[in-house]
Amino acid sequence: MNFLGNAYLWVKAAHLIFVIFWMAGMFMLPRYLVYHQEALPGSAEAQLWTEREAKLRRIILTPSNAPARAWSLSPFTSLPSGQTGVDADFAGVAGLVLLPVIVVMVIALCCWLA
């Protein structure tokens, strides 16, 4: 906690809040896509789902994504050099950061194949 000092707990709390917002959006987006697929193409309902998906991405997912990912790396800025286990922790965090990218790619592939 040398680098962040007294702000460390506030950074952890903000990180947790943004991750919760981000995960809520990640759970809602596939649901919206399923409802969008059930609407007739070109109908007013399909247009509404398109607008809802865009709002979800613009209002919830994008603003919460960057701070959640940036602050996930903050513990590594405060660790003393030579502490063991940092490489394993970094690999775990890197996996968690890349997991949503992989999920979105799979969803996009499924929508493209449908």
Side-chain angles (χ1 to χ4, degrees), residues 28-99:
M28 288 176 66
L29 185 60
R31 194 170 172 188
Y32 278 17
L33 293 173
V34 167
Y35 290 146
H36 187 178
Q37 289 293 324
E38 292 176 357
L40 294 174
S43 67
E45 184 181 3
Q47 187 64 23
L48 281 174
W49 282 113
T50 303
E51 292 171 10
R52 291 174 185 155
E53 292 162 7
K55 285 181 183 179
L56 178 69
R57 275 188 240 113
R58 187 177 63 246
I59 295 171
I60 296 177
L61 288 175
T62 302
S64 64
N65 190 2
R69 288 184 186 214
W71 288 334
S72 68
L73 298 175
S74 66
F76 300 107
T77 61
S78 60
L79 291 173
S81 61
Q83 183 173 350
T84 59
V86 174
D87 294 334
D89 290 341
F90 182 73
V93 170
L96 289 176
V97 169
L98 293 175
L99 180 65

Side-chain angles (χ1 to χ4, degrees), residues 11-24 60-69 71:
V11 170
K12 280 178 60 175
H15 168 70
L16 182 65
I17 290 167
F18 280 111
V19 167
I20 290 171
F21 286 162
W22 182 41
M23 291 306 297
I60 296 177
L61 288 175
T62 302
S64 64
N65 190 2
R69 288 184 186 214
W71 288 334

